[in-house]
Amino acid sequence: MKLKEIFDGVFSIDGRLATKNLVKGRSYSEKILNIGGEEYRVWNPDKSKAAAAITKGIRNFPIKKGSKILYLGIAQGQTASYFSDIIGHEGIIYGVEFSSRAVSDLVISTEKRGNIVSIKADARKPEDYSWVEKVDVVYEDVADPEQVAILLRNAGAFLKKGGYAMMAIKSRSIDVTRAPKEIFRESVEMIKNTMEILDFVTLEPHEVDHAFIVCRPR
Ligand SMILES: C[S@@+](CC[C@H](N)C(=O)[O-])C[C@H]1O[C@@H](n2cnc3c(N)ncnc32)[C@H](O)[C@@H]1O
């Protein structure tokens, strides 16, 4: 099999994205590839917007070994499990989620990883989890009309100097009646007031009406 590391801890194996499993023998329902005594978990771009963004050619992916991440809208932790593989035991993910059901599933599915902290809270109110330390990356995947403002508020409160923010924008959650292109342009303009945009890609065919942005404070 042809294996190439395309970002720190993110591999392309015969053209499929994968991460090295932090907890051998544990997976969701993804395919496992065994190479040189290591387990690699295939990261499906149809099931994870971060994987879709990498597949669509983002040039900056700031999550690496030891990264501290604030993850807004972590849900059951599917994408976070790949971030958890990449950051290893030296890193940590603070996962904010307001659905009680999702948080229960998250706790069960990630307990063996040891680098994900579940936080049952509303990402619109960062003051409710103000105890979280400063992080290297704020990652946002919430379906909320205010999702750009939520990202900026959390980045302002928790991002270390030199840190990065990434977000998946769902145009239909912001305004279902308007053209996605227009929503994306407005979102970019809002972000540009305080951040430098490093990457912008749309996520089709993996996710329709979604875009993905990597940015950092100016
Ligand atoms: C698209 S799903 C996230 C999928 C997940 N990021 C993944 O790739 O595995 C969006 C999640 O955001 C959560 N959410 C939406 N608004 C939120 C808010 N204001 N605060 C916290 N969680 C929120 C939803 O409950 C849902 O679980």
Side-chain angles (χ1 to χ4, degrees):
M1 273 188 268
K2 206 169 143 210
L3 182 147
K4 188 177 160 210
E5 191 166 11
I6 53 176
F7 290 113
D8 196 358
V10 181
F11 301 87
S12 168
I13 303 175
D14 287 345
R16 283 182 289 188
L17 278 190
T19 56
K20 209 182 273 184
N21 199 356
L22 188 66
V23 188
K24 278 192 177 176
R26 300 272 295 197
S27 62
Y28 285 75
S29 54
E30 71 280 11
K31 194 168 170 46
I32 299 286
L33 304 171
N34 290 293
I35 305 172
E38 295 286 355
E39 277 183 7
Y40 291 83
R41 302 171 56 226
V42 172
W43 194 5
N44 186 342
D46 291 336
K47 292 191 175 161
S48 167
K49 288 157 211 157
I54 293 173
T55 305
K56 288 294 302 276
I58 54 168
R59 288 157 304 162
N60 301 273
F61 187 72
I63 293 174
K64 45 172 83 82
K65 202 179 190 67
S67 290
K68 294 179 177 179
I69 303 170
L70 175 64
Y71 191 132
L72 310 171
I74 191 167
Q76 292 81 2
Q78 181 122 20
T79 294
S81 70
Y82 294 94
F83 293 173
S84 158
D85 286 344
I86 298 166
I87 66 175
H89 293 298
E90 300 88 340
I92 190 155
I93 300 171
Y94 297 97
V96 176
E97 172 56 57
F98 70 5
S99 150
S100 307
R101 179 68 201 269
V103 171
S104 307
D105 293 347
L106 173 70
V107 170
I108 294 164
S109 68
T110 59
E111 60 174 344
K112 290 269 188 296
R113 295 192 156 265
N115 61 4
I116 300 181
V117 178
S118 314
I119 303 172
K120 160 96 178 64
D122 185 339
R124 287 170 293 195
K125 298 180 187 161
E127 61 278 11
D128 288 353
Y129 45 93
S130 59
W131 52 268
V132 169
E133 64 182 315
K134 293 269 191 272
V135 297
D136 303 291
V137 177
V138 173
Y139 182 88
E140 189 207 63
D141 182 16
V142 299
D144 187 293
E146 299 287 321
Q147 71 171 119
V148 175
I150 292 172
L151 178 81
L152 297 178
R153 208 175 305 147
N154 279 273
F158 297 106
L159 212 50
K160 277 183 197 168
K161 200 168 186 299
Y164 293 80
M166 294 196 273
M167 79 182 294
I169 305 175
K170 185 176 179 182
S171 75
R172 292 190 166 275
S173 294
I174 294 177
D175 190 340
V176 71
T177 65
R178 291 169 56 213
K181 241 184 179 169
E182 206 181 309
I183 306 270
F184 297 153
R185 191 183 49 75
E186 274 179 18
S187 303
V188 164
E189 286 309 312
M190 246 178 103
I191 293 170
K192 268 183 166 171
N193 287 328
T194 50
M195 301 260 205
E196 177 191 1
I197 307 259
L198 301 173
D199 281 296
F200 172 92
V201 289
T202 56
L203 298 185
E204 76 280 351
H206 309 291
E207 291 277 358
V208 289
D209 300 337
H210 279 74
F212 194 93
I213 286 176
V214 184
C215 55
R216 67 178 165 206
R218 286 183 194 281

